[in-house]
Amino acid sequence: LPAMKFTLVWTVAAATCPGQEQLLPNPADPSVRGPYPVGSVLGSLVVPNADGIRSITVEAWYPAKPGSDAGQDPWGYDIRVHTPPKQRAKLANVSNVTYQACGCYRDLPVADGVFPVVVYIHGTAAFRTESLHQQTHWASRGFVVVAADHPGIQLYDLLNVVNLVIPPKTDQAGDARGVL
């Protein structure tokens, strides 16, 4: 076979998306938090599933207006709320064990711009804030991160089995569709 010669031409162009022009630049090092303070909002959604409808707890972390966190107290979470009362009573009130610090603030105004959305789905025996550091890191870099407590596989439901409570059916795909 004759030798074949190929010439590859790579074209690199800067792409822009509408609404992205005024976004703050992110640090070159991906391990460094971004330029936005992180806002947080908590709520619940009623989503359809195979058995009708169910309510899920949903939280979003988002890029907030720069400077809107000034004078605000950062938010945090007591992970004991993700355990049934009998197990919760056994957990010591130790701030470095049961408290999950968040580099975020409740209900800050949303930054100007159009931001992509990340839907975070936790795994078995977990809860919506299990990867809080990553979720708030993404939000500081210009992403809206939405996470829900998924009934049937969340930590609370699985620990409650020892109390003879059967967890509800799981439907993470339906939950994610409901969030979007």
Side-chain angles (χ1 to χ4, degrees):
L1 294 173
M4 300 178 84
K5 184 176 182 181
F6 292 98
T7 303
L8 296 176
V9 177
W10 294 89
T11 302
V12 178
T16 61
C17 298
Q20 303 291 307
E21 297 82 13
Q22 69 264 53
L23 296 183
L24 299 176
N26 276 309
D29 181 350
S31 68
V32 175
R33 279 180 73 94
Y36 294 98
V38 177
S40 170
V41 62
L42 178 67
S44 63
L45 287 176
V46 175
V47 295
N49 68 6
D51 298 325
I53 59 171
R54 68 176 173 181
S55 179
I56 59 173
T57 300
V58 180
E59 190 154 4
W61 298 272
Y62 54 89
K65 286 189 185 252
S68 63
D69 57 331
Q72 302 289 322
D73 291 325
W75 191 251
Y77 303 87
D78 185 345
I79 62 172
R80 292 176 293 181
V81 301
H82 298 288
T83 60
K86 283 185 180 178
Q87 286 82 1
R88 187 177 308 147
K90 295 177 185 179
L91 296 172
N93 186 13
V94 180
S95 63
N96 66 342
V97 175
T98 62
Y99 182 77
Q100 196 177 22
C102 180
C104 65
Y105 304 85
R106 278 287 189 228
D107 303 319
L108 292 180
V110 178
D112 295 329
V114 177
F115 302 101
V117 175
V118 174
V119 177
Y120 181 84
I121 300 174
H122 68 71
T124 303
F127 42 92
R128 70 183 182 284
T129 65
E130 70 166 347
S131 294
L132 187 61
H133 178 76
Q134 284 182 313
Q135 293 159 325
T136 57
H137 187 82
W138 292 331
S140 78
R141 294 181 73 87
F143 291 86
V144 174
V145 182
V146 182
D149 286 326
H150 298 283
I153 65 163
Q154 64 187 348
L155 182 62
Y156 187 100
D157 293 333
L158 297 178
L159 288 177
N160 218 9
V161 170
V162 299
N163 300 321
L164 305 176
V165 177
I166 304 299
K169 289 183 181 178
T170 63
D171 186 7
Q172 293 138 292
D175 294 346
R177 280 190 297 277
V179 165
L180 291 173

